Amino acid sequence: MSERLAIVADWGNLSQAECDILRGAAGLSAEQADHMIENAIGTLALPLGLATNFLINGRDYLIPMAVEEPSVLAAVSNAARLFREGGGFYTHSDEPIMIGQIQVLDVPNLERAQQALEAERDFLLREVDSIGGSIVKRGGGARGLEVRVFPQTAIGPMLVVHVLLDTRDAMGANAVNTAVEYLAPHVERLTGGRAHLRILSNLTDQRKAYAEGMIPHASLKTADLSGVEAVRAIVEAAVFAEVDSYRATTHNKGIMNGIDAVVIATGNDWRAVEAGAHAYAARNGRYTSLTRWWQDEDGNLRGSIELPLAVGIVGGATRVHPTAQVAMKILRVGSAMELAQVMAAVGLAQNLAAMRALATEGIQRGHMRMHARQLAVAAGATDDMVRRIAEQMAQEGNIRLERAKELVKIFTSFHQPDSL
Ligand code: MEV
């Protein structure tokens, strides 16, 4: 680990204090935690790893990921290596536009209200900008107004006003909520109705990120399958998730294994990202896969992903959490849009890794190897003993806590790793 830390310190130009944060010697203090939430009683640490091999739009990235699940980092780095053999990932994203909602009830005439809002559209957008503050100064601001009508609901007719706000490098929840609360009295005046809820939508479908990439079939060859057969096996796995919601849920969970880990490492709101991703996966009325995979005319594997990703690089925990700040320094992204694109690439790679394992040898072999390491640690093994005991149990096909404990005893009594 110290060797890795030295390399990443060099890469990210990290100070000693920043390295101490990564090592766990410093980091989020109980006092800082007490300022972040109510009734704080402490902090909870997670492993922070680095995903390697990522080549995105011609640039190399080291990607910090915070996750407790074994295999995620190894799998995503391995998948990124395969994409690199096909030229890396190509990504792009929408502008960082968030949606704020105002629910309007008791509207005397829905049609007239809608017309009044549309007639005053420019005025309303100017009003939003007038309180936009730093977001407007940085080039963001109001971008649009939409009116949606629900003539019949259980509580009568309902009108919903959407305010579209470009929040630039911020995730933007506060800016959006402030904007809709500020605008609500104007909306009441124009519609003659009563503004009820005023809150952002986490279905941030105006703020999507896209990634795609190719893997040469030769890179997918296994002991049992030719490259072209492996491509076919992976496409078969992907189509399963396209047609079946039960499979799509697990398939997308695997994608979010990667995306959430970057979202958490960078101090972003992973519940918001999760909510948006799954709602988007169900946008056509049936929950389906967030990715598409196909075989191109040269027999190579191609994949793409598209999902809403409302993440920021300023404000929120990103600026408060010391580890998130170091993670951002390692990642070296220049904008929220770039961060979202990196996350999309990670999601695509994580998905490939899972499907490749599932479509070839199954995932249990790799998982059990990592599980063996966890059991060795739980049995009291330290340092190199962890690896040796895990390997021994894997070789024996006997990966159990009792066996790990026996091996710790044997190992400790002999004091000789090779006696295993
Ligand atoms: C496990 O955390 C994730 C997978 O189940 C994803 C998948 O099935 O695609 C392996």
Side-chain angles (χ1 to χ4, degrees):
M1 194 185 250
S2 57
E3 203 178 325
R4 282 183 218 130
L5 204 52
I7 294 170
V8 80
D10 196 38
W11 166 276
N13 201 13
L14 304 183
S15 66
Q16 189 55 49
E18 287 166 332
C19 290
D20 288 346
I21 290 170
L22 291 181
R23 278 193 302 112
L28 187 73
S29 66
E31 199 198 325
Q32 281 169 311
D34 201 23
H35 293 304
M36 286 172 83
I37 63 162
E38 308 72 39
N39 293 357
I41 53 164
T43 58
L44 179 139
L46 280 176
L48 182 73
L50 271 189
T52 57
N53 301 326
F54 273 83
L55 178 66
I56 304 174
N57 300 332
R59 211 201 102 181
D60 285 315
Y61 288 83
L62 279 180
I63 306 177
M65 295 173 67
V67 64
E68 86 298 343
E69 185 173 329
S71 300
V72 169
L73 268 297
V76 81
S77 301
N78 194 28
R81 184 181 53 75
L82 296 172
F83 275 105
R84 178 176 278 266
E85 286 167 18
F89 299 90
Y90 291 92
T91 65
H92 64 280
S93 60
D94 299 332
E95 295 296 312
I97 291 175
M98 298 290 286
I99 299 169
Q101 298 194 291
I102 304 173
Q103 177 195 24
V104 196
L105 302 173
D106 306 334
V107 178
N109 184 320
L110 285 177
E111 209 175 308
R112 229 179 294 143
Q114 193 171 359
Q115 282 164 2
L117 286 166
E118 272 153 18
E120 290 300 319
R121 183 180 177 279
D122 291 347
F123 163 76
L124 293 169
L125 298 187
R126 271 199 310 278
E127 279 298 300
V128 170
D129 280 345
S130 73
I131 53 141
S134 63
I135 279 179
V136 172
K137 271 190 221 114
R138 292 198 188 106
R143 293 289 183 266
L145 194 90
E146 291 169 356
V147 184
R148 300 164 67 232
V149 178
F150 298 89
Q152 269 182 335
T153 78
I155 47 146
M158 190 189 299
L159 199 132
V160 179
V161 179
H162 279 191
V163 179
L164 309 188
L165 189 67
D166 182 332
T167 60
R168 291 286 96 196
D169 286 328
M171 185 273 192
N174 274 332
V176 175
N177 293 338
T178 306
V180 284
E181 286 196 2
Y182 178 76
L183 212 57
H186 288 300
V187 169
E188 286 186 327
R189 179 175 52 77
L190 290 165
T191 60
R194 170 171 62 91
H196 194 41
L197 301 198
R198 296 144 298 160
I199 184 76
L200 90 170
S201 170
N202 287 120
L203 179 50
T204 54
D205 59 3
Q206 310 272 327
R207 194 176 187 173
K208 296 183 295 300
Y210 311 78
E212 57 181 88
M214 182 274 280
I215 298 158
H217 60 78
S219 306
L220 291 165
K221 190 175 165 324
T222 69
D224 304 324
L225 298 176
S226 73
V228 172
E229 282 168 339
V231 170
R232 189 178 171 75
I234 292 169
V235 172
E236 286 168 353
V239 173
F240 183 8
E242 278 179 38
V243 300
D244 175 35
S245 303
Y246 285 90
R247 173 58 204 151
T249 306
T250 323
H251 178 96
N252 291 344
K253 187 272 182 185
I255 292 170
M256 301 315 288
N257 273 346
I259 293 180
D260 282 343
V262 188
V263 175
I264 294 170
T266 55
N268 275 289
D269 180 345
W270 75 93
R271 288 87 55 212
V273 169
E274 279 281 333
H278 296 296
Y280 192 68
R283 66 193 177 283
N284 294 324
R286 184 175 55 79
Y287 188 89
T288 184
S289 166
L290 287 165
T291 53
R292 291 288 172 271
W293 294 92
W294 65 99
Q295 186 169 38
D296 69 15
E297 57 272 22
D298 301 320
N300 299 322
L301 180 66
R302 285 185 188 267
S304 68
I305 186 168
E306 135 180 359
L307 81 164
L309 272 163
V311 290
I313 61 166
V314 295
T318 307
R319 276 282 170 261
V320 177
H321 198 299
T323 317
Q325 285 177 36
V326 182
M328 290 300 296
K329 211 167 156 186
I330 297 168
L331 200 49
R332 294 193 200 149
V333 290
S335 66
M337 285 165 73
E338 187 183 350
L339 177 58
Q341 291 175 37
V342 168
M343 288 172 179
V346 168
L348 189 65
Q350 203 77 60
N351 185 219
L352 172 76
M355 284 196 306
R356 181 169 178 244
L358 289 166
T360 56
E361 66 171 5
I363 58 159
Q364 269 324 70
R365 231 176 84 189
H367 269 213
M368 287 314 277
R369 235 177 283 133
M370 292 306 290
H371 181 55
R373 291 173 75 115
Q374 285 185 332
L375 288 183
V377 173
T382 52
D383 301 325
D384 199 43
M385 211 199 294
V386 175
R387 182 183 59 79
R388 286 174 172 273
I389 288 177
E391 271 171 16
Q392 178 74 16
M393 289 196 296
Q395 250 171 38
E396 291 173 0
N398 185 8
I399 300 176
R400 289 178 310 114
L401 184 60
E402 286 68 34
R403 181 61 184 147
K405 283 181 179 163
E406 281 167 21
L407 289 169
V408 168
K409 261 196 212 138
I410 296 169
F411 185 93
T412 325
S413 62
F414 280 95
H415 284 292
Q416 274 191 19
D418 291 340
S419 63
L420 284 172

